[in-house]
DNA sequence: CTGTATCCGTGTTGATACTG
DNA sequence: CAGTATCAACACGGATACAG
């Protein structure tokens, strides 16, 4: 009976979209489905496999992730690629246009960071840490500082390279560094955004630091958060 | 039996949020609910009443709009205000912080406008037209041009003021203008973004124009759309 | 007239279990 | 590892009825 492959859903896919030519509405059609934008976030540092995406998205279920990946691929935001034989795995990656959504993410994050309802005590992943560094970096504060800092978390290793007033944050690459910081992303965030002295975090065992502490001490001052909105709104 | 007003939902409001400290996730908590960002869009030109918001949002139902307004107010993005007695009506308006989401909207719109899936033939409102003008305006093309153009649509009257390389688009104000354009937002968009000569639109009766046609002819060239992504992605 | 509340059919989401 | 199947809970949209 499976010969009759009924493809009803193909012909009438009345997905719930906004019926609006406005580019804002179309933008929300693209990224507004639940989890969609966070799936894109997970891919911002490079290609990932299904399971790795899922690991970074606490709470998403497999079927929803499948749907979102299909939708994002259909929209041209991501593509799936099969890695060459040595590792026979499939990965998802942003298309060039998909990568340009980084600007949307950045502006949204800077706006949302000012929200009275933003709760920094919630879970925080390595990918989020990397993106937040890119987002909150203030070149003016860096001056001519040069540094290479490695962040080792349970999930990922991040390398931040500061040179010529620009900051690059990528994942993976190991290599020599001025400082190596090991610990959960939350603890790193506490040092950078929470104003908690690195020494305290080391003392409590939350962070382990090897290398030039002075570089780290200065580095953590380069990421000022935008001001919160006053209670009046 | 209605004496026992059970308020279970109040104490445990397990609204579906992302459990994530990442500012991107929080941003989607704020604007990601269906219709939420478009409700904000409707308020970008100034305060509006419930019914007027709803008119700009074809397809939204009254109960959903009520929920969104509550949610946005609780988030500190909008506030409700009661107009003084002469007009005993309630209006909704963006808070100062809510207005700053205009930047998010702008970047999202510019990114989404490049989407292969963007369909400009869908319904298009006066608010969307106003915002798109703000979004796509290219100051470099304006040079030292000065103009005041009035767009009269069925729903709203918009006034675009170009001076000193800056464009202001507001609603309401009538006043003298170099050109007055009357017709549906779609037709105006066709002239500005679709490259359709204004003369054609006048000939077919889609637009009515009074005043200096030369000003209009130049004005429509100031809003280049970002390039679409090539089919390859 | 301006919202708000309730009922209801339907589609989407999310948790668990399961298959290639 | 990479999804699919199933099912319960919820959100959405439409209609209607109600309150100021």
């Amino acid at each position: 009976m499976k010969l009759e492959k009924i493809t009803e859903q193909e012909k009438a896919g009345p997905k719930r979209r906004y019926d609006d030519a406005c580019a804002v509405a179309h933008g929300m059609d693209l990224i507004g489905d639940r989890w969609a934008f966070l799936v894109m976030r997970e891919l911002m540092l490079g290609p990932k496999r299904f399971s790795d995406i899922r690991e970074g998205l606490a709470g998403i279920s497999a079927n929803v992730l499948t749907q979102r990946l299909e939708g994002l691929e259909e929209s041209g935001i991501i593509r799936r690629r099969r890695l060459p034989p040595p590792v026979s795995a499939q990965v998802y990656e942003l298309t060039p246009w998909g990568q340009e959504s980084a600007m949307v993410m950045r502006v949204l994050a800077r706006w949302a960071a000012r929200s009275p309802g933003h709760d920094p005590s919630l879970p925080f992943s390595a990918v989020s840490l990397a993106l937040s560094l890119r987002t909150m970096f203030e070149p003016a504060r860096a001056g001519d500082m040069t540094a290479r800092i490695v962040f080792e978390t349970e999930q990922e290793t991040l390398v931040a390279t500061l040179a010529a007033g620009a900051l690059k944050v990528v994942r993976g690459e190991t290599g020599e560094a001025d400082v190596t910081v090991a610990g959960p992303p939350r603890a790193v965030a506490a040092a950078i955004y929470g104003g908690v002295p690195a020494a305290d975090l080391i003392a409590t065992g939350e962070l382990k630091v090897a290398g030039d502490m002075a570089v780290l001490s200065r580095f953590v001052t380069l990421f000022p958060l935008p001001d919160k909105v006053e209670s009046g709104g």
Side-chain angles (χ1 to χ4, degrees), chain A:
Chain A
M1 283 307 183
K2 63 182 60 168
L3 289 177
E4 313 180 31
K5 188 171 188 182
I6 301 174
T7 54
E8 296 177 49
Q9 68 229 41
E10 282 183 33
K11 91 172 187 190
K15 304 205 167 189
R16 192 157 50 195
R17 312 265 76 125
Y18 302 109
D19 191 33
D20 196 323
C22 172
V24 175
H26 183 58
M28 291 310 285
D29 278 341
L30 294 169
I31 70 167
D33 281 341
R34 187 156 172 77
W35 294 109
F37 209 38
L38 297 190
V39 170
M40 293 164 67
R41 180 193 74 185
E42 289 304 304
L43 299 179
M44 274 293 159
L45 258 41
K48 273 197 173 189
R49 289 178 306 183
F50 188 94
S51 305
D52 293 328
I53 297 172
R54 202 178 166 194
E55 231 165 277
L57 264 26
I60 195 174
S61 55
N63 52 6
V64 171
L65 180 52
T66 298
Q67 287 172 220
R68 288 305 163 272
L69 290 170
E70 284 171 355
L72 290 170
E73 185 176 18
E74 201 176 314
S75 300
I77 293 171
I78 69 173
R79 66 166 74 107
R80 80 185 61 196
R81 189 157 49 96
R82 186 157 284 288
L83 294 181
V87 280
S88 176
Q90 191 176 213
V91 294
Y92 299 86
E93 66 183 359
L94 292 167
T95 62
W97 174 56
Q99 285 176 28
E100 290 172 34
S101 68
M103 279 324 259
V104 182
M105 234 169 254
R106 181 192 162 88
V107 175
L108 175 64
R110 293 190 67 91
W111 177 73
R114 304 186 50 205
S115 166
H118 185 213
D119 179 2
S121 73
L122 296 171
F124 193 64
S125 74
V127 171
S128 300
L129 173 61
L131 293 180
S132 78
L133 292 178
R134 291 181 180 176
T135 298
M136 302 303 174
F137 175 63
E138 174 80 56
R141 293 200 183 187
D144 57 356
M145 182 180 175
T146 290
R148 185 178 174 83
I149 303 184
V150 170
F151 296 98
E152 290 178 350
T153 74
E154 215 168 334
Q155 315 144 31
E156 308 238 31
T157 296
L158 302 174
V159 183
T161 308
L162 177 57
L167 178 73
K168 273 198 334 183
V169 184
V170 298
R171 79 173 176 210
E173 309 176 10
T174 34
E176 71 256 43
D178 299 305
V179 210
T180 298
V181 182
R186 301 250 1 206
V188 179
I192 295 179
Y193 305 114
V196 180
D200 292 12
L201 294 161
I202 297 171
T204 62
E206 294 185 78
L207 286 183
K208 293 199 196 326
V209 176
D212 192 339
M213 273 293 296
V215 169
L216 181 60
S217 297
R218 175 148 183 223
F219 184 81
V220 300
T221 67
L222 307 180
F223 307 88
L225 288 181
D227 292 336
K228 285 258 194 249
V229 328
E230 69 281 19
S231 46

